[in-house]
Amino acid sequence: MGCGNMSGAMIEGWRTAGADLSDAVVIRPSGKPVEGLRVITNYAEAGPPPRLVILGCKPQQLDDVVTRLSAHLTAQTVVVSILVGVEVATLREKFWTAGAVVRALPNLPVSVRRGVVALYGDDLPGEVHDELSQLFALLGFAMWTNTEANLVAIGSVAGAGPAYVAKFIDALTKAGVDRGLSSETASTIALETVLGTAWMAASTRETMGEIVERVASPDGTTAAGLAVLGRDDVLDKLVSLTTAAASRRAGELAAEAKGTQLADENSPS
């Protein structure tokens, strides 16, 4: 249901992984083609009742989707929602004809099968749990959370994280340009530095602190830069405030999906 940036990234990841998408159908009002998949605009054209539905519409479109989709669901249908902020309880109430409801929060690198996907669903049949585990593992690191709060926490870090990392890479690029490098050279160096550091950490299992110590010689150039980053824990505080803002917005979206408003004490100050 819907095929925006995140849904398209998931499809690209599954296609790259060689997943069988021959029975997959994309329903999108625009009718815009999706490579390798059948695209329709009318729900009635989808065929037999679906075994799996992935909700990739905007949260604001959910009620319209419920109205049109519910008649096509059965007790054998699994509904997987990637909608930020729409809780399982809300989804169950809306899609009461479905057999199971699951939330999945992927991030954009699923398109290259290096994504993170957080999953949550309670009282799931074992076969549904296993089927979804295998499906989303094709997109990168997939993990089930035991609470919806943990799902949201992962989403605030991993889901939004690529945008924050991209901003850091951009800042590193600009710093290279300020030092006299061409924008192309600075961009390549910044990107390869971040990619190489992440790959090294994943390969060696070193902690970030250990990597910092290996790079920064006492009283050296790196140490001088780290003294700025570490002053008053400025970087840690900035990232904490950033992820808190993302979490707060998720809470606001959850309240909107339930047709309520957050209490005054939870509103942004």
Side-chain angles (χ1 to χ4, degrees):
M1 297 304 311
C3 194
N5 287 334
M6 192 61 71
S7 298
M10 294 163 62
I11 290 172
E12 182 61 28
W14 282 320
R15 183 187 294 114
T16 303
D20 183 6
L21 301 177
S22 59
D23 290 333
V25 177
V26 174
I27 303 177
R28 63 191 317 188
S30 68
K32 184 179 178 180
V34 177
E35 182 183 352
L37 275 73
R38 183 163 69 97
V39 177
I40 61 174
T41 58
N42 189 328
Y43 289 65
E45 298 174 3
R51 172 72 178 83
L52 174 66
V53 172
I54 297 180
L55 299 177
C57 59
K58 291 181 173 62
Q60 297 84 351
Q61 299 171 324
L62 182 58
D63 284 340
D64 181 63
V65 169
V66 171
T67 300
R68 298 173 183 271
L69 181 62
S70 293
H72 301 277
L73 306 182
T74 72
Q76 284 69 51
T77 302
V78 178
V79 174
V80 176
S81 169
I82 66 170
L83 308 186
V84 175
V86 185
E87 298 172 346
V88 164
T90 300
L91 293 165
R92 277 184 170 172
E93 180 179 346
K94 293 179 181 294
F95 294 103
W96 60 272
T97 55
V101 171
V102 174
R103 286 186 68 187
L105 292 183
N107 65 3
L108 205 56
V110 294
S111 64
V112 292
R113 303 185 63 204
R114 297 299 305 177
V116 173
V117 185
L119 298 160
Y120 173 76
D122 51 14
D123 298 326
L124 292 179
E127 63 272 15
V128 171
H129 183 283
D130 293 345
E131 179 184 0
L132 294 179
S133 296
Q134 294 172 19
L135 181 65
F136 284 101
L138 295 174
L139 301 178
F141 177 69
M143 66 172 295
W144 289 89
T145 63
N146 53 13
T147 68
E148 203 158 12
N150 285 344
L151 178 96
V152 174
I154 293 173
S156 67
V157 176
Y164 308 151
V165 173
K167 290 290 287 184
F168 177 78
I169 294 173
D170 187 53
L172 206 56
T173 298
K174 291 175 180 176
V177 172
D178 290 343
R179 303 278 76 76
L181 298 176
S182 69
S183 58
E184 182 179 356
T185 298
S187 176
T188 299
I189 289 174
L191 182 61
E192 290 297 326
T193 298
V194 172
L195 178 62
T197 303
W199 190 264
M200 180 178 67
S203 301
T204 65
R205 299 299 181 183
E206 291 177 279
T207 66
M208 298 305 106
E210 289 170 339
I211 292 176
V212 169
E213 290 183 3
R214 286 182 58 190
V215 177
S217 301
D219 297 323
T221 57
T222 303
L226 287 172
V228 177
L229 279 179
R231 186 177 299 153
D232 298 324
D233 296 325
V234 61
L235 183 60
D236 290 349
K237 290 178 181 178
L238 178 60
V239 174
S240 179
L241 288 171
T242 301
T243 55
S247 294
R248 183 169 59 244
R249 181 54 182 152
E252 292 169 352
L253 289 171
E256 291 170 10
K258 290 185 288 189
T260 62
Q261 294 182 344
L262 289 175
D264 290 342
E265 63 266 25
N266 290 334
S267 62
S269 59

